[in-house]
Amino acid sequence: MGIQKILNADAQYGVPVKIFTRDIDQESIEQLKKMAQLQFVYSHIAVMPDVHVGKGATVGSVIPTKQAIIPAAVGVDIGCGMNAIRLNLKADQLPDNLAPIRHAIERKVPVGFEIHKQVKAKASTIIPLEKSLQPIIKKHSGLIRMLRKFDATWQKQLGTLGGGNHFIELCLDENQDVWVMLHSGSRGLGNVIGTYFIELAKKEAQHRFGHVPDKDLSYFAQGSNSFDDYVEAVEWAQTYAFENRREMMRLILEAIRPLLPPFQMTKEAINCHHNYISQENHFGETLFITRKGAIRAGQDEFGIIPGSMGARSYIVRGKANPESFCSCSHGAGRKMSRNKAKLLFNQDDLIQQTQGIECRKDLGVIDEIPSAYKDIDEVMANQSDLIEVVHTLKQILCIKG
């Protein structure tokens, strides 16, 4: 059974905070107490078992709001999420040496700060995105000044990975079937949109719902021009993130086809956000649900919960638990900062913890070492009320930005 810890509501803390783990640090608790004071938060805040402190809002939190949205709760990697597909290949059909496959993917999909030299996405993808972006930048021309070579950049970044904890993996499931899995978001323009509206919310400092305990929790009230503009912009970024993952998957499959036996994709394909806003009905109310580091786990909905680059990942099916607002964790969750990981671990530690995985093993990715993350098995055990496991994956190749 999942564990549920509740910070009780009172005059100081506001709505209850329901936490599906006992493994939570004091800094996250203090952050959640501030979030719970917001008068437009409905019912309670749900906190997933991969919880850790974030900027503005706690990572792993599900925040239901009425008539207001907090841009910093979504963050700057709007629409960040996962994509996974199963191939009709078995483990014994893969080559013993996976390095050529890794290098082929890296040549096809830019990682880190790199972008495509030319636009790779099809016109059928670019044109609708461009058309829906025009009204946004017409009203908020400052966005253009925040991204170098604005149009060329967002178009050339479609089908690129980015850095940090974004990744591309080849995995094997419990049946020795081969999966391709990736994690990325809305790239540079999504970051610009998030940053721009977070600062705008702070500048406007709306007080329709009273005191805000932290400037990072500044919000837009429904009915204001900024609210409508942010909803339009965040929906665009979420669509872009979805298309970015889809384009990246296309390029990955294109890269690996010449190096593998002929294959096809199975019907099992998942593309889901874990930093986003959606309008949903819960407890008889239409609410804005902000999932910051959480995925939707509605009844029989499929999702992806990745571990670290040396641990298992999971394909899951949702149980529509109302107390979590039909949500579950988005991964293992960090247990230490990137800077602390760089101080505590060295290259030998990384090599030891990624044995048997074709991946970078240099100091440039030491902050992504498995020991910097929580135990994914414990995280999964704590959310047995939220999801059931459909497939267990183990990566054999991992590309980090």
Side-chain angles (χ1 to χ4, degrees):
M1 295 292 289
I3 299 167
Q4 196 175 107
K5 174 182 179 180
I6 300 178
L7 300 179
N8 291 318
D10 60 24
Q12 181 182 359
Y13 298 154
V15 299
V17 179
K18 300 185 179 182
I19 308 171
F20 289 84
T21 182
R22 291 192 179 95
D23 181 14
I24 181 169
D25 61 278
Q26 190 60 38
E27 192 175 0
S28 293
I29 289 174
E30 295 306 316
Q31 194 171 49
L32 288 164
K33 287 177 181 178
K34 290 180 181 178
M35 292 161 58
Q37 292 177 40
L38 297 169
Q39 294 181 23
F40 51 83
V41 174
Y42 183 82
S43 178
H44 64 276
I45 294 171
V47 183
M48 303 301 100
D50 57 343
V51 56
H52 57 280
V53 71
K55 184 175 181 181
T58 312
V59 178
S61 59
V62 182
I63 311 162
T65 58
K66 282 181 68 76
Q67 301 183 317
I69 289 176
I70 312 162
V74 182
V76 296
D77 198 357
I78 301 168
C80 185
M82 301 289 303
N83 193 356
I85 62 169
R86 183 162 63 93
L87 308 180
N88 63 341
L89 289 176
K90 292 289 188 179
D92 60 9
Q93 294 177 276
L94 298 175
D96 293 334
N97 182 7
L98 295 175
I101 293 178
R102 176 163 76 94
H103 299 321
I105 296 171
E106 290 171 338
R107 286 192 296 270
K108 205 78 167 178
V109 179
V111 303
F113 293 107
E114 298 298 318
I115 66 174
H116 291 294
K117 292 181 176 147
Q118 293 148 352
V119 177
K120 294 290 185 180
K122 295 177 181 178
S124 58
T125 298
I126 295 288
I127 291 171
L129 284 169
E130 190 170 31
K131 184 178 179 180
S132 57
L133 179 61
Q134 290 309 310
I136 298 169
I137 60 177
K138 186 176 181 180
K139 288 180 283 189
H140 298 277
S141 58
L143 291 167
I144 297 176
R145 296 189 293 272
M146 295 173 67
L147 188 66
R148 186 171 175 268
K149 297 182 179 179
F150 187 85
D151 284 321
T153 297
W154 75 257
Q155 293 179 24
K156 290 179 181 178
Q157 282 188 335
L158 269 171
T160 66
L161 183 64
N165 63 351
H166 294 164
F167 63 78
I168 298 167
E169 291 184 344
L170 281 187
C171 305
L172 301 177
D173 69 13
E174 67 284 350
N175 300 313
Q176 297 298 291
D177 290 328
V178 177
W179 290 71
V180 181
M181 184 165 70
L182 61 87
H183 171 210
S184 190
S186 51
R187 307 297 289 110
L189 186 47
N191 186 295
V192 163
I193 288 170
T195 300
Y196 177 90
F197 281 98
I198 288 169
E199 292 307 312
L200 183 61
K202 292 177 184 177
K203 183 178 178 181
E204 292 189 358
Q206 298 180 35
H207 296 296
R208 181 184 299 181
F209 298 100
H211 171 68
V212 175
D214 186 322
K215 65 180 181 179
D216 283 327
L217 296 175
S218 298
Y219 61 89
F220 295 130
Q222 192 167 10
S224 68
N225 289 335
S226 293
F227 180 95
D228 293 337
D229 291 354
Y230 178 67
V231 169
E232 183 181 18
V234 83
E235 286 180 349
W236 185 91
Q238 289 171 190
T239 300
Y240 181 93
F242 186 93
E243 294 296 341
N244 178 49
R245 290 192 292 272
R246 189 163 71 169
E247 175 65 14
M248 210 183 321
M249 185 64 76
R250 182 183 72 81
L251 293 171
I252 293 166
L253 298 179
E254 196 175 282
I256 66 177
R257 279 191 189 279
L259 302 172
L260 295 173
F263 65 80
Q264 294 179 335
M265 295 174 287
T266 71
K267 292 182 180 179
E268 288 182 290
I270 307 158
N271 194 342
C272 60
H273 299 317
H274 54 228
N275 283 354
Y276 73 112
I277 294 174
S278 67
Q279 201 165 17
E280 301 175 8
N281 189 277
H282 295 273
F283 302 107
E285 294 283 346
T286 299
L287 304 169
F288 290 98
I289 302 295
T290 299
R291 292 185 176 92
K292 184 181 181 72
I295 64 172
R296 181 171 165 83
Q299 189 64 48
D300 296 328
E301 276 188 302
F302 284 88
I304 307 165
I305 303 177
S308 66
M309 63 190 290
R312 287 182 287 274
S313 298
Y314 296 89
I315 306 297
V316 300
R317 183 186 290 116
K319 293 184 176 181
N321 188 308
E323 296 303 314
S324 72
F325 299 98
C326 299
S327 308
C328 68
S329 83
H330 81 311
R334 296 194 71 92
K335 67 180 181 183
M336 67 180 68
S337 69
R338 295 185 181 279
N339 287 336
K340 186 174 181 181
K342 290 175 182 177
L343 288 173
L344 286 181
F345 302 105
N346 57 37
Q347 190 173 9
D348 289 339
D349 296 322
L350 181 62
I351 291 170
Q352 191 275 326
Q353 292 184 32
T354 58
Q355 282 184 15
I357 302 168
E358 173 57 45
C359 65
R360 286 176 58 189
K361 300 177 189 283
D362 57 77
L363 294 176
V365 293
I366 198 74
D367 54 342
E368 283 294 301
I369 191 169
S371 287
Y373 285 83
K374 294 182 179 182
D375 181 347
I376 187 64
D377 294 329
E378 183 178 337
V379 168
M380 296 302 293
N382 285 338
Q383 56 187 334
S384 60
D385 290 345
L386 311 182
I387 46 89
E388 62 176 317
V389 174
V390 179
H391 295 292
T392 301
L393 311 183
K394 183 67 177 75
Q395 70 273 70
I396 53 174
L397 179 154
C398 179
I399 294 170
K400 288 278 187 182

